[in-house]
Each structure stands twice: as structure tokens, then as C-alpha cells.
Amino acid sequence: YDLTLYVDESVDHLRCSWEYNIDLFDEATIKRLAGHYYTLLETIPIIPDIQLNDLLIISDEERYQLLVHWNKTHQNFDQPLSLIQCFEYQAEQRADHIAIVDQNNTINYGDLTSKANELAHWLINEENLIPGSLIAGSLDASIALMVVILAIVKIGGVYGPIDPKFSTAKINTLLEESSVTHWLVDHSSQQNEVLIGITVVDVFDIASSLLNQSSNNLAIKSSEKSLAYLLFTSGLSKSTGIYHDA
């Protein structure tokens, strides 16, 4: 048998021993089972008329552990942090750690957040963008792309990605249907015949201007329920949003 209980009776006591399959049970389990059996034997003589379904098999200590100690679920949590607040906290704690590897280029968290802050301040100071602004971006996968995403979200804006390899016609359709006013690009983006009324910003062309901007974190604190990212496949009617608490 996998589990056997031997009981030897003497004049004034019972001696119990357990034999078990060590592939199925460990010592802690058998000790707990033996404790349940002991509690059962201890209860029956004290209350001989007790109903079987009222018999207790766990000790007071184990009952406290189950009902009280393991059920201490009340916790006081800090105010929920937004996506950017979480990033800024990690960047502060790991400023010298590598954040992105882009082919032969790397950037640490400290420099990444500083560059994102400079662009974020530029977007506010030079383009008068405000929280809630939907800003499109078309950049190849790179450090610059992450700087753009972080900067937009830092100002409380909503980043809407557009594949830079799309045709000019498709890009114009997405820009028009999404009602964006600003489009951040790099040199690889198709900028010919772009819609009138859209402000196109090449992040490499403004690199020197960014040096005059503050590298400090912005005071803007977006709600965790605010949009941070909007993937539009055909304007806003078929878009998928990601919020700051995602």
C-alpha cells in the first residue's frame, strides 16, 4: 500500500506508526496527517456524542493559520502609477544600465529619459501640444523611435504608429481619418505629397534645437486611465488603444 497506519495497543496507550511511499508523500505531509489523526482521537473521548460531520481534524494552530493568517488579504497600496511614472522610476534606479541596443549603438536609461524629456519639452514649447493630443509617428525600429514614443507619452499625448514603409496614399488616409495634427518622422519616411494641415517633424532635423530644451522630467502626470498608444488600422473607427495602466 502507498500509505499504511499501524496501531499497537498497550495497557495505557496506543502507539501509531506510519508507512508511506516516498514517491507520493513527503515527511511534512505525513506529520500533518498524523496531527489530524491525533486531533480526531483527542476529540472523540471528550465529546462522545458528537456527530461525525462535526468532528474536527485540524488543530487550533492550523485553524488559525488557515482562517486568519493566510487570509490577511487587506493591503494598503500606494497611488497607482502611470506607465511613464513607472518608466521614470526605473530609469532613476538604473540610470547607467543599458536600455536599448540598436545594431552597433546602445543607450542607457539615464540618457534615454533625458533625450525623451528634451523632445517632450520641445513639443510643448515649440508646437504647443497638450495632454490628449494624438500624434502620429513613422520611424524605423531604433533608439530614436523609443525617444519619440516616450516623449509623446510624457506630455500626456497619444502615440499612433504608422509604418514608414506604407505608401504616401495610405499614410494620408490614416492621417486624415485619425485627425492627427502632428506627424513625427525620420529620414526614411515617405513625406511627399503629405496632407495640408499636418505638421511634419523630422526628429533628426530638430536635433540641435533639442539641446536647448530641459532634460528634466515633466510635471505632467497622466491618469492611469488615459490613452497612451493608439493603433489605427483604418482611422479611429477600427483602432485599438492601450492605456497608461496597461
Side-chain angles (χ1 to χ4, degrees):
Y1 297 100
D2 292 323
L3 178 63
T4 305
L5 169 61
Y6 297 99
V7 180
D8 296 323
E9 184 177 5
S10 64
V11 177
D12 58 353
H13 68 277
L14 298 174
R15 179 181 178 84
C16 299
S17 60
W18 300 78
E19 183 178 284
Y20 59 93
N21 185 341
I22 60 174
D23 293 329
L24 300 177
F25 303 99
D26 58 20
E27 184 178 356
T29 299
I30 297 302
K31 284 184 176 181
R32 187 166 60 253
L33 183 60
H36 293 167
Y37 186 63
Y38 179 82
T39 301
L40 190 64
L41 294 179
E42 193 176 42
T43 303
I44 293 173
I46 298 175
I47 316 175
D49 297 330
I50 191 173
Q51 297 290 321
L52 288 177
N53 61 343
D54 291 330
L55 284 170
L56 300 177
I57 64 171
I58 60 175
S59 65
D60 291 339
E61 181 181 357
E62 189 173 1
R63 188 182 304 109
Y64 178 85
Q65 183 182 49
L66 291 171
L67 300 180
V68 180
H69 182 69
W70 286 353
N71 274 289
K72 291 181 179 179
T73 56
H74 178 74
Q75 296 289 339
N76 293 319
F77 293 98
D78 295 332
Q79 186 72 19
L81 298 178
S82 68
L83 174 65
I84 280 298
Q85 287 174 311
C86 290
F87 172 80
E88 290 174 348
Y89 174 79
Q90 293 300 326
E92 182 180 350
Q93 299 299 311
R94 297 170 172 81
D96 295 328
H97 291 213
I98 296 299
I100 301 174
V101 177
D102 173 17
Q103 297 181 356
N104 296 324
N105 300 314
T106 62
I107 188 170
N108 61 37
Y109 280 98
D111 291 339
L112 177 60
T113 195
S114 292
K115 289 182 177 295
N117 286 337
E118 290 169 354
L119 178 56
H121 283 288
W122 187 91
L123 292 173
I124 293 174
N125 297 332
E126 301 299 326
E127 297 298 323
N128 299 314
L129 291 174
I130 61 175
S133 299
L134 176 56
I135 306 167
S138 296
L139 295 92
D140 287 330
S142 61
I143 292 174
L145 172 61
M146 287 307 304
V147 170
V148 165
I149 294 174
L150 288 169
I152 292 173
V153 180
K154 276 175 173 285
I155 69 171
V158 184
Y159 173 71
I162 295 179
D163 193 326
K165 296 181 177 61
F166 284 166
S167 66
T168 301
K170 185 169 185 178
I171 289 175
N172 277 339
T173 298
L174 291 173
L175 292 173
E176 183 177 22
E177 292 185 358
S178 304
S179 301
V180 301
T181 59
H182 287 70
W183 182 32
L184 273 58
V185 301
D186 59 16
H187 295 318
S188 67
S189 302
Q190 309 240 4
Q191 301 177 40
N192 299 327
E193 301 176 7
V194 71
L195 283 172
I196 297 176
I198 299 291
T199 300
V200 182
V201 178
D202 189 317
V203 294
F204 290 101
D205 289 345
I206 64 170
S208 59
S209 300
L210 299 183
L211 298 177
N212 300 321
Q213 302 295 325
S214 171
S215 61
N216 295 328
N217 290 331
L218 285 74
I220 298 172
K221 302 300 180 185
S222 298
S223 165
E224 68 272 12
K225 296 302 181 183
S226 299
L227 270 176
Y229 183 98
L230 190 65
L231 179 62
F232 32 79
T233 54
S234 180
L236 295 179
S237 60
K238 297 181 181 179
S239 302
T240 301
I242 298 177
Y243 295 83
H244 278 268
D245 62 349

